[in-house]
Amino acid sequence: MTAQRHRGLRPLAAGVVALSGVLALTSCGSEDPPESGGSSASGKATASGSRTASPGGGVRCGKKATVKASGSTAQHNAMRSWTKSYQKACRGTRIDYEDTGSGAGQTDFLKGRTAFAGSDAALRPAQVAGSKKVCKDGRAVHLPMLGGPIAVGYNLPGVDKLVLDAGTLARIFDGRITKWNDSAIARLNPKADLPATAIKTVHRSGESGTTDNFTAYLHAAAPSAWPHPPGQRWPAEGGTAAGGSSELADEVEQTRGAIGYVELAYAIQRSLPTAAIDTGAAAPVEATVVNASKALAGARTKGSQGDLVLRLDHTTKAAGAYPVAMVTYEIVCDKGNKAATWPATKAFLTYTAGLEGQRELSFQGYATLPAKIMKEVRSKLSDIS
């Protein structure tokens, strides 16, 4: 096994080991191990698998239905594991999730095509107002379901360890640092043998929640170096565009000198080395599940009228807190969900927000959200009928 592969696997191993002690206190896990692996951005998470339990224990299934949903590619592996487990327990219910990207998922939901949307970015105020057309007598609300680090993966043979800070990342992705041996990178990596290889940045095409979170980090942590506002569409010129998380990770893996931002699970699957972030803390912070959890521990709700949109601190300097973290939401109506599919949708999301569903996340390279927030999610779901 190469040094690069050792480094690629280390983040997942650390996250699983650290979380297993906490999660072992919950009820028993699935009979079948959750699946992992790459997928195209247009893949579907539909399978049958092991048993599930509700937060309080015991199987609870809604009325049999086919539940259509779409959105975030970041949560593909989690959704694949969840649907596999849930569908075995609830025979006759099918969770048909297409990971088309957060923007496409939002559009599908707002046009009434799906029962819920998965999104790594919250709806804009105008979209929430527009949701009243599909949510009869109500509006769309966000249910935070999982978190995790956005890893900065790179392809630079001979450089197994790399440290970057927000300002340097901003100038790299804005096209102002173009060589790997640039003085700004060398200053952060005095022991590395940096080549004069051209830097080739890779970003997401279309509307992406991962892009929204990554640009929000650059905007918050390096405002003088990143001149663009946060948003779901990549704002800078240059670079290579990739359709989804899997495609972006593939592009970095196949291109010498490449660097891109992608959810940790996708970097792990391809054994991509990932940069540690110099946040100003005593030591640079690696992209791991545990370190993302430390950053997410400070998340607070900022939504109104019972909405559970979270505020993240991208400028944290807490020891071991990885600042480039994100949250994936499941978006539903607070009133006016489709009667034919809501019982099954509610039962499925209650499962994913419960102890069993959250337990599965540790095996997929994701971070669980604070227990207080997940309790609020389950409470919100219980109030929606």
Side-chain angles (χ1 to χ4, degrees):
M1 186 177 288
T2 65
Q4 180 173 336
R5 179 165 177 78
H6 274 299
R7 178 175 170 79
L9 293 176
R10 190 179 301 118
L12 180 60
V16 171
V17 170
L19 287 176
S20 61
V22 175
L23 295 172
L25 299 176
T26 68
S27 51
C28 297
S30 303
E31 294 170 357
D32 302 324
E35 292 186 15
S36 181
S39 71
S40 68
S42 59
K44 290 186 178 182
T46 56
S48 47
S50 55
R51 68 177 179 81
T52 64
S54 71
V59 178
R60 296 179 185 175
C61 302
K63 181 180 178 182
K64 293 180 181 181
T66 294
V67 176
K68 291 187 175 295
S70 65
S72 166
T73 64
Q75 69 171 356
H76 171 81
N77 291 331
M79 194 60 69
R80 183 179 181 180
S81 179
W82 282 332
T83 57
K84 178 179 179 179
S85 297
Y86 185 81
Q87 288 176 175
K88 185 171 184 180
C90 301
R91 301 290 186 180
T93 291
R94 178 180 175 85
I95 308 299
D96 187 357
Y97 182 81
E98 290 193 65
D99 49 338
T100 52
S102 295
Q106 291 176 352
T107 297
D108 284 341
F109 178 77
L110 293 173
K111 290 188 175 181
R113 298 169 182 162
T114 53
F116 71 92
S119 180
D120 312 313
L123 294 171
R124 297 183 296 273
Q127 290 176 302
V128 174
S131 72
K132 295 177 182 179
K133 295 178 181 179
V134 71
C135 298
K136 186 178 179 181
D137 300 322
R139 46 162 279 187
V141 290
H142 301 78
L143 305 174
M145 199 61 68
L146 59 88
I150 299 175
V152 178
Y154 65 95
N155 182 339
L156 198 60
V159 180
D160 294 327
K161 292 186 177 181
L162 182 70
V163 176
L164 297 170
D165 59 18
T168 303
L169 272 171
R171 290 190 288 274
I172 287 173
F173 279 94
D174 202 35
R176 286 177 283 145
I177 293 178
T178 59
K179 298 287 185 180
W180 277 108
N181 64 347
D182 187 274
S183 60
I185 302 176
R187 175 180 57 81
L188 293 164
N189 299 274
K191 296 182 179 180
D193 184 14
L194 297 169
T197 305
I199 296 175
K200 300 177 181 178
T201 60
V202 186
H203 59 267
R204 290 281 296 276
S205 62
E207 293 189 333
S208 159
T210 311
T211 295
D212 192 41
N213 283 273
F214 186 64
T215 55
Y217 161 72
L218 296 177
H219 179 75
S224 62
W226 185 251
H228 314 285
Q232 294 186 46
R233 287 193 175 275
W234 186 250
E237 296 182 0
T240 299
S245 298
S246 185
E247 286 83 357
L248 189 148
D250 287 342
E251 185 68 26
V252 174
E253 181 185 29
Q254 296 162 12
T255 307
R256 183 183 291 258
I259 185 171
Y261 56 93
V262 70
E263 298 77 27
L264 177 62
Y266 291 91
I268 290 170
Q269 289 163 4
R270 291 154 182 80
S271 298
L272 287 176
T274 60
I277 304 299
D278 184 344
T279 64
V285 186
E286 298 277 357
T288 70
V289 170
V290 172
N291 291 345
S293 294
K294 291 178 182 177
L296 291 170
R300 297 290 183 270
T301 56
K302 65 175 182 179
S304 60
Q305 299 179 346
D307 202 0
L308 298 179
V309 176
L310 301 183
R311 178 183 289 108
L312 306 182
D313 181 8
H314 292 301
T315 63
T316 179
K317 291 182 172 63
Y322 185 76
V324 201
M326 63 187 289
V327 170
T328 299
Y329 301 95
E330 314 308 337
I331 301 173
V332 299
C333 296
D334 63 350
K335 296 178 183 177
N337 291 284
K338 297 178 180 178
T341 57
W342 178 242
T345 302
K346 180 175 182 176
F348 174 68
L349 295 180
T350 298
Y351 158 68
T352 65
L355 297 180
E356 289 277 351
Q358 292 293 296
R359 186 177 190 274
E360 292 191 35
L361 294 177
S362 68
F363 298 99
Q364 303 295 334
Y366 298 102
T368 54
L369 296 175
K372 179 181 177 181
I373 289 174
M374 296 316 299
K375 183 177 180 180
E376 289 183 58
V377 171
R378 294 192 294 271
S379 176
K380 184 66 178 179
L381 277 165
S382 70
D383 290 340
I384 300 175
S385 60

